DNA sequence: ACCGTCGGGACGGCCCGTTTGT
DNA sequence: ACAAACGGGCCGTCCCGACGGT
């Protein structure tokens, strides 16, 4: 019962801290985000912070994990019917990304993974590993769809599903980076359209994507 | 004579500071790089540092500018004969990028612009603007080649040179990010190959480059 | 019980810091006193310092306020019976000053207000205002005594109590300055005697004090 | 000829530095005044500065000396006929002070000696000594006048010329301090009037002072 | 278990008074 | 007379532990 209440509101102290950290690190990056800022944003004191996370790095890890997990949930939902045409599912995934560009979470078009792996990739091994794993997860997710699509759709050009997956991943991260720098999300949308066109070109018949 | 020595070695104190800053910021990012580190790396004292740059932010700006400038010189050289086929020139540019992946400057596969715009894009307006301009410069450079190619090569699919330019830019930045995270530059190479394939698919006859 | 301990010793960390600051600033002035020195003198670390005072300027303000407050308490005690002859009370006040010259607090004949207002009067508006208010407080205190004295003692020369108050204030501050420079407190004593003589000369009968 | 030009204009590099130092130190004090500020104000480089003064302390000394010297010249002029009544001369001296309050040099009512001796009296022995000597000079100057006055005017109250001199000195310095803090020079004027009244009261017949 | 106050140092960026070479 | 370089110092911040109350 106690647990239910807590879980339901989802606004426990720990959760507030974590959400504050995610938001701030997406905005400013890991190293520019101070523990004090996180506490202020979450409305708690440092005592509370260090009760739940024993170091700044630890909350960094937690933030990455939580971010990936909630993203993954979203992707799953975007796919729609899991028994349908894999190519259609892939297109739905891309549509989901586009939608998340037009209505980004917290009004902030930025991916925690991109931020953290850029900053800490060279210096914080454990953080890098976490991000690498997260990237690999998403990529294999896409690659599986592409592999399945290859089974049911005649192929025009031979391709490696993994490679395409990594390319999509890279393009997505790079697009967000450029969009942030240009202060214009349009570039992400355009890039995703080109990616879709490229994928379509790999198969004999064009994908079922609308004009989007 | 005196002047010659100074100019020739090109290793003035200021230059050493700037190079040290560029290297460290490519490795660790702007905010994780301390002035002390830069001084140590450059082998100078803090007095010297603040003699030439009045703040950390100022050297950040200088580093970005210098980075763009030296990159731009490299691209110019990669193109080869400026009167030749623009599509060939574009392919040479991509070859140059690939080469720079296999033999990255300072043995470090990382772009200062990506690092800085990721970290500071939201928080330091002036830095963001500088990076945005640099991105736009490279992109329009590519777009011009594509536009010229359209004049001399029959087109199979209509395309906007600017959009393709931005896509290449995004893909490049994203690839570097992913490569760093995976600790494997191969992904950059693969992505560039796909990009080339996509560009080729826009024209009637394939580009004049082998599989590289 | 717990509370008692803390209150009783009156030697909390914050208090130690404040006392150290007051002492050092009386010796060396505001700007020559470093936060490190204050911490060393108080036997605490910088962490403790900035926990209680968020800037050097803030502790400057606090020091001035505390100084005035503890001085004011002293004056009150010097006066003796508050229902007695105001002229006698004034003389007791001067006696108190003289006593504080012969036995200065911390063995240091220097007034924090004089130090701070001299150094920062032109540059730190808030500090200047605080000192100005403190000066005005002391002066009106004296002026009130003089005004009351005028009611009960026949006057030989018309005078403005406020003006006399400011003169005493100025003479006191100037005397401390000169005494410090000459390294001889005698000048303060002499000046106070002259001041007393001047005040006596304003009334018909001489004050009830001996030559002290 | 060269020398004449230089001396006449009184605008040699060294002189400009010295004047800048005096002005800034009167405004902000010794320790708040940086060498850079002095150079900027004087319009010279640090090289020039350290060419003429081998340390900050040295220019402090020079500033004090120059200040005293130019002040002394002024007093001499204020006295008028040196063979006249010493009491009249003393009154002229006080008039001169009052005039310098109404029209302070550089529009700044502040005495370098007061500033420096307050700040450095406890910490910089050599500076303290210089100020002490300067104070003693002015005081003995006044004391001599008082002594001479005692010869030609019948005295009503016995007094020590030196003591009166020190009192005037202290009152003057204290008045400047208070005036700066209150941001109102009026207090100096009032105090000087009271001082004059006190001096007059020492002699049988009133001094020849006008209403001033 | 949860959370707040207090405190600890180390380091961050920047500036300051100086010396050196020219 | 000056630009370049020097270090060490200053103020303030940061991440984090220790302890006490609830």
């Amino acid at each position: 019962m106690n647990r239910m209440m807590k879980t339901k509101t989802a606004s426990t102290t720990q959760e507030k801290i974590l959400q504050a950290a995610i938001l701030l690190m997406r905005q400013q990056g890991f190293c520019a985000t101070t523990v004090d800022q996180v506490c202020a944003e979450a409305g708690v004191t440092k005592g509370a912070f260090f009760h739940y996370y024993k170091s700044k790095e630890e909350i960094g890890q937690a933030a990455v994990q939580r971010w990936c997990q909630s993203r993954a949930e979203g992707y799953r939902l975007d796919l729609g019917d899991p028994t349908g045409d894999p190519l259609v599912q892939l297109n739905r995934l891309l549509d989901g990304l586009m939608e998340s560009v037009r209505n980004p979470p917290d009004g902030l078009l930025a991916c925690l993974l991109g931020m953290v792996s850029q900053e800490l990739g060279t210096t914080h091994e454990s953080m890098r590993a976490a991000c690498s794993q997260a990237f690999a997860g998403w990529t294999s997710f896409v690659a599986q769809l592409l592999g399945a699509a290859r089974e049911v759709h005649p192929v025009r050009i031979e391709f490696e599903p993994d490679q395409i997956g990594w390319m999509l991943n890279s393009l997505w991260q790079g697009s967000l980076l450029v969009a942030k720098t240009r202060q214009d999300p349009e570039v992400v949308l355009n890039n995703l359209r080109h990616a879709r066109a490229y994928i379509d070109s790999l198969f004999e018949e064009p994908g079922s994507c609308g004009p989007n």
Side-chain angles (χ1 to χ4, degrees), chain A residues 1-27:
Chain A
M1 200 166 63
N2 264 331
R3 186 162 35 190
M4 269 189 64
M5 271 176 59
K6 281 192 177 180
T7 323
K8 196 166 149 197
T9 61
S11 185
T12 61
T13 298
Q14 181 165 19
E15 186 62 21
K16 282 191 299 184
I17 294 172
L18 187 55
Q19 291 305 329
I22 290 176
L23 180 59
L24 286 169
M25 288 179 187
R26 285 206 300 143
Q27 281 175 338

Side-chain angles (χ1 to χ4, degrees), chain A residues 31-52:
Chain A
C31 121
T33 297
T34 73
V35 173
D36 279 314
Q37 281 177 346
V38 174
C39 293
E41 176 77 21
V44 302
T45 64
K46 283 219 277 237
F49 180 93
F50 282 102
H51 177 68
Y52 290 108

